[in-house]
Amino acid sequence: MKCSVPNGVNTSAHIGWCPGCGHGIIARLVAEAAQALGIEDRIIMVEDVACGEFAQNVLQFNSIGAAHGRPIITAAGAKRVRPDAIVIAHPGDGSAYSIGMESTIHCALRNENILALVVNNSVFGMTGGQMSPTSLPNMKTTSSPHGRDVTKNGNIFDAMKVLSQLDIAYLARGSVESPAQVIKTGKMIQKALEKQMNNEGFCLVEVLSPCPTNWNLTPQEALEFMKEQEKYFQLGEFVDKGGK
Amino acid sequence: MAKVLMKGNEAFAEACIRAGCRFFSGYPITPQTEILEYMSWRMEEVGGQFVQTESEVAGINMLFGAACCGARALTTSAGPGFSLKQEGISYLCGNDIPAVIADVMRIGSGLGDIFQGQGDYWQLTRGGGHGDYRTIVLAPASVQENADLAYLSFDLAEKYRHPVLVGSDAAIGQMVEPVELPEMREYDMNSHDWAIAPRKQGEEQKVIWNTYYTIGADTYMDYLKDKYRTIEENEQRWESVQTEDAEIVLVAYGISSRVSKAAVKQARAKGIKLGLIRPITLWPFPKKAFEQLGSQVKGFLCVEMSILGQMCDDVILATGNKHPVESYGEFANVPSEEVILEKVQQMLKQD
Amino acid sequence: MSKIVLSLERCKGCHLCVSVCPTKALTPSGELGEKGYETVRVDEEKCVQCGSCYRMCPDYVIEIL
C-alpha cells in the first residue's frame, strides 16, 4: 500500500508537538482529506491558542490564529464572508467545551457551515495538563492531583450526547488510538468537508488523541489509556444528515 | 444630498453600510441596541451578513474572523458589553487587523445605568484589554458627526491595519437630528493583500497570527513604535471654538462639548474670554490644538461626564502642566452651562 | 514493489510505529537521531508495507513509496 505524506503537510517545518502526541496524526488527516477532495487552495484553518496551533507551521493552508476558545466562532465569521472557502476550526477539548462552549452550541444552533475539528486529549495540554471538561472521573491532572472528583468538579462532558439533539449536518467521534481508527477518523473528516462543500451546515468531528506528556505516560502506555478514554467517549457517527 | 431626520445610532449604522461595511455581529445592550436592530434588516438589503451572537465575546471574535478575511466588519456595544469586547480588540491589535467597534457610552462601572455617560474614556484611550496597545478613538458630538466618523473609521482602520473605536454616548446615539448621509460606495474585500481568502493558483500560504511571530520581537518593537508615532502625527482631529484670545479654555468632547459650546457663547456675551477645544480623536489626543494656543491662556476646564475627570490626564500631558487644569465632572446629568460659567469665573478670580 | 522509507531526522522516538507494526519489522534502533531521541530501524524482510506505521507516525517520518 502506497502511503506518502500529503502535499498540505510541510515536512521541513518545525513540528512542535511532543513525542507521541496525536496532533500530528490529526493534522495529516486534514491534509489527506483536503488532497483527496482537491480543496487545498480553498481551506482556511482557524487555530486555537493551544497545542493545536502548531498546525500553523505544519499545514500549508491559509490560516487564522484565533483567541483561545474562539476558533469555532471566528471560523463562523470567516465562512460568512468567504463562503467559497472551506473553513476548519481546530480547537481542543478545553477550548470547545469549556471557555468556548457558548459558541460551540450556538454555532451548531445556527448551523454555521463550518467544520469544528475538536481534538480531545482530556486535558489542557499547553498549560501543562490541567483538568478539562473531558478529564475522566478520578483522572489525576495538575489541577486535580487526587483525581477528578465528579461531585466537586462536575461530570465529564460528552459532546455527542448534547449536540446529537441539534439540527446539524454531521457529528462524529473518532480516535487515533490505532491504525484502523486513524483510517476511520480520516473518513469522518473527509465526509464533513464534503458536507461543507455541499453547504449542508455545521459539522463537528471530535478526535480522541493521546497526550503522553501530560498524562505522565509513555507513548505506548498512552495508547493503552486511550482505551479507558473510549469507555467514556463512544466512537462513531451520531448525526449524518443528507444534503439540504 | 438632502438632509434626513435620523436617530444618532441609526445614522451611524447607515453610514457604516454606505462605507462598505458588510459584516455585523453583536449583542443587544442599551443604549446601543438601535444599531443592532438597524443592521438586522439593512444588512439583508445590501447582501451583507448580520449575526446576533450569543454574547459580546462571541460578537467580537466572530468579527475577528470576518475582518481577517478582509471584510469591513463592525461590532457595537455599550458599558458592560464593551468590557467583554476587550479580548477581541487586543487580538485585532496583536494581529494588525482593521475593524470598527463602537461604544455607545452609558454611566457607571458595573451595571451603572443606561443614561449617557463618558466614563469609558480611560478604557477607550488606554487600550482596554491586555497588552501593549492603543487604538484610534473617534468621538462624535452630533448625529451628523456620528455618520461622518463612521464613514471615516473604516478608512483609518485599513490605512493603519488597526482597530478603530467610535466612542459616542447615549445622548448622541439616541438624539434625532437632521443628517446628510454620505454616499454609498463599493468596497472590494480583495483589495488588501493580507486578507485571508481561498488561494489563487500559485499563491503562497497566508497566515494571520501574532504580528511579532512574523517579524520577530526586535523588529516588532520598532514597527509598533513607528505605527503609533505615525498615527499620533497624522490623525489628531479637533475643533477649536474661539480659542484665539481665550483666557480659559474648556476641553470637552461628545455630549459635554455641546453644552460647553453653548457656555462659550454665553460667556462671550458677558465679556468673558472663554474658548473650547473639542477633541474629535480621543486618541491620538489633539495635542496640536494646545500647542497653537496663545500666551493669554490662564487655565483649562475639562467638562465631561466622568466623576473622576478622566480626560484631565491627557490635558495635563498636552499642556505640560503649565496652567491649572480643573475638572467639572458630572455623573447622571449632562453638565450644565451655569456650572461651567461659575467654575470659569472662579478660575479667573483665583488667577 | 513499494518500499518503506524513513526520514529519521524528524523522528522524536515515540515508537508508536513499533507498537502497531503487525510483523515486528520496526524496532527501536538503539541510536539517537538528530533530535536526540532514540530512532527506529526497519527489517525490510519482515515489512509487508501495510502502512500502519505511516498512519500512526505523528512526525511524518514514515512513508511507503
Side-chain angles (χ1 to χ4, degrees), chain A residues 3 5 15 17 24 32 220, chain C residues 12 14-15 19 54 60 63-64:
Chain A
C3 299
V5 177
I15 303 164
W17 295 296
E32 283 177 352
Q220 285 66 36
Chain C
K12 292 196 193 124
C14 70
H15 299 175
S19 305
Y54 163 84
Y60 322 117
E63 293 182 287
I64 314 290

Side-chain angles (χ1 to χ4, degrees), chain A residues 27-73:
Chain A
R28 197 197 67 236
L29 292 178
V30 172
E32 283 177 352
Q35 189 166 314
L37 297 169
I39 53 170
E40 287 130 309
D41 286 347
R42 292 172 63 191
I43 288 197
I44 298 175
M45 293 292 293
V46 183
E47 298 294 346
D48 197 15
V49 178
C51 297
E53 73 178 285
F54 290 128
Q56 280 196 309
N57 295 324
V58 171
L59 292 177
Q60 294 180 305
F61 305 132
N62 284 355
S63 80
I64 296 169
H68 172 63
R70 317 297 176 212
I72 294 178
I73 187 70

Side-chain angles (χ1 to χ4, degrees), chain A residues 118-156:
Chain A
V118 183
V119 177
N120 176 0
N121 57 17
S122 293
V123 284
F124 281 90
M126 188 163 263
T127 45
Q130 294 75 33
M131 178 175 55
S132 84
T134 54
S135 297
L136 308 186
N138 303 316
M139 185 171 167
K140 286 184 179 174
T141 71
T142 57
S143 59
S144 59
H146 305 299
R148 179 185 186 141
D149 179 347
V150 295
T151 64
K152 287 180 186 162
N153 307 123
N155 278 300
I156 61 171

Side-chain angles (χ1 to χ4, degrees), chain B residues 67-275:
Chain B
C68 283
C69 291
R72 287 199 152 174
L74 172 74
T75 187
T76 58
S77 195
F82 186 63
S83 289
L84 294 176
K85 300 283 182 201
Q86 303 306 320
E87 172 188 272
I89 296 171
S90 178
Y91 272 83
L92 289 163
C93 289
N95 296 272
D96 282 337
I97 301 301
V100 175
I101 303 102
D103 175 20
V104 185
M105 283 186 271
R106 48 191 264 176
I107 60 165
S109 45
L111 169 65
D113 218 319
I114 58 173
F115 319 126
Q116 59 274 2
Q118 296 183 314
D120 298 352
Y121 184 91
W122 282 332
Q123 192 183 26
L124 286 162
T125 56
R126 266 60 183 163
H130 62 282
D132 218 0
Y133 78 86
R134 293 183 123 157
T135 53
I136 297 175
V137 185
L138 303 171
S142 65
V143 173
Q144 183 64 56
E145 209 171 34
N146 223 0
D148 294 345
L149 294 181
Y151 208 61
L152 171 71
S153 61
F154 289 94
D155 293 335
L156 290 180
E158 281 155 31
K159 183 175 177 188
Y160 297 104
R161 283 190 63 178
H162 207 71
V164 170
L165 310 184
V166 180
S168 68
D169 58 67
I172 302 299
Q174 300 294 320
M175 67 173 58
V176 177
E177 285 183 330
V179 55
E180 188 177 335
L181 289 165
E183 275 179 26
M184 186 72 96
R185 58 178 167 176
E186 294 297 319
Y187 165 72
D188 178 8
M189 262 180 68
N190 298 311
S191 55
H192 302 288
D193 59 3
W194 50 262
I196 299 286
R199 263 199 305 240
K200 295 180 199 86
Q201 212 164 14
E203 200 176 48
E204 284 202 6
Q205 179 190 21
K206 282 184 199 169
V207 174
I208 284 182
W209 53 11
N210 256 331
T211 299
Y212 101 82
Y213 285 176
T214 315
I215 64 177
D218 291 341
T219 319
Y220 185 61
M221 283 174 61
D222 292 337
Y223 164 77
L224 214 57
K225 280 182 193 164
D226 189 51
K227 181 176 189 173
Y228 287 115
R229 200 183 301 123
T230 312
I231 296 173
E232 265 195 282
E233 188 50 43
N234 294 347
E235 304 303 339
Q236 295 182 28
R237 285 174 167 76
W238 71 91
E239 180 191 3
S240 291
V241 181
Q242 294 192 269
T243 51
E244 301 78 13
D245 61 343
E247 292 180 340
I248 302 290
V249 177
L250 305 177
V251 189
Y253 66 96
I255 182 65
S256 299
S257 70
R258 295 170 69 114
V259 276
S260 297
K261 217 179 245 186
V264 169
K265 210 171 169 186
Q266 265 202 46
R268 290 282 168 174
K270 291 182 182 172
I272 302 167
K273 290 183 174 170
L274 186 62

Side-chain angles (χ1 to χ4, degrees), chain A residues 13 18 20 22 78 81 127 139 147 149 158 167 178 183 206 214 221 226 234:
Chain A
C18 302
V81 300
T127 45
M139 185 171 167
D149 179 347
D158 184 343
D167 192 15
S178 66
I183 292 171
E206 180 188 302
N214 289 310
E221 289 166 344
M226 289 185 73
Q234 197 192 335

Side-chain angles (χ1 to χ4, degrees), chain A residues 102-242:
Chain A
E102 61 168 17
S103 286
T104 305
I105 300 283
H106 282 272
C107 285
L109 287 169
R110 287 191 296 267
N111 209 20
E112 300 281 355
N113 190 26
I114 57 168
L115 166 60
L117 177 62
V118 183
V119 177
N120 176 0
N121 57 17
S122 293
V123 284
F124 281 90
M126 188 163 263
T127 45
Q130 294 75 33
M131 178 175 55
S132 84
T134 54
S135 297
L136 308 186
N138 303 316
M139 185 171 167
K140 286 184 179 174
T141 71
T142 57
S143 59
S144 59
H146 305 299
R148 179 185 186 141
D149 179 347
V150 295
T151 64
K152 287 180 186 162
N153 307 123
N155 278 300
I156 61 171
F157 179 70
D158 184 343
M160 303 300 127
K161 283 184 185 158
V162 173
L163 295 176
S164 59
Q165 307 305 308
L166 306 182
D167 192 15
I168 58 177
Y170 189 62
L171 179 68
R173 181 185 283 128
S175 167
V176 296
E177 157 259 313
S178 66
Q181 292 299 345
V182 169
I183 292 171
K184 278 188 191 168
T185 303
K187 285 180 180 161
M188 289 170 178
I189 293 170
Q190 187 168 331
K191 193 189 250 189
L193 293 178
E194 278 180 299
K195 283 173 182 286
Q196 187 176 151
M197 292 164 77
N198 296 332
N199 297 315
E200 289 176 40
F202 189 76
C203 299
L204 186 141
V205 176
E206 180 188 302
V207 185
L208 301 185
S209 179
C211 180
T213 300
N214 289 310
W215 291 354
N216 286 306
L217 299 174
T218 66
Q220 285 66 36
E221 289 166 344
L223 288 192
E224 284 304 307
F225 185 75
M226 289 185 73
K227 297 203 171 83
E228 285 300 305
Q229 224 189 349
E230 286 169 16
K231 284 181 192 163
Y232 291 91
F233 299 114
Q234 197 192 335
L235 305 182
E237 296 182 311
F238 297 83
V239 176
D240 185 4
K241 292 241 174 78

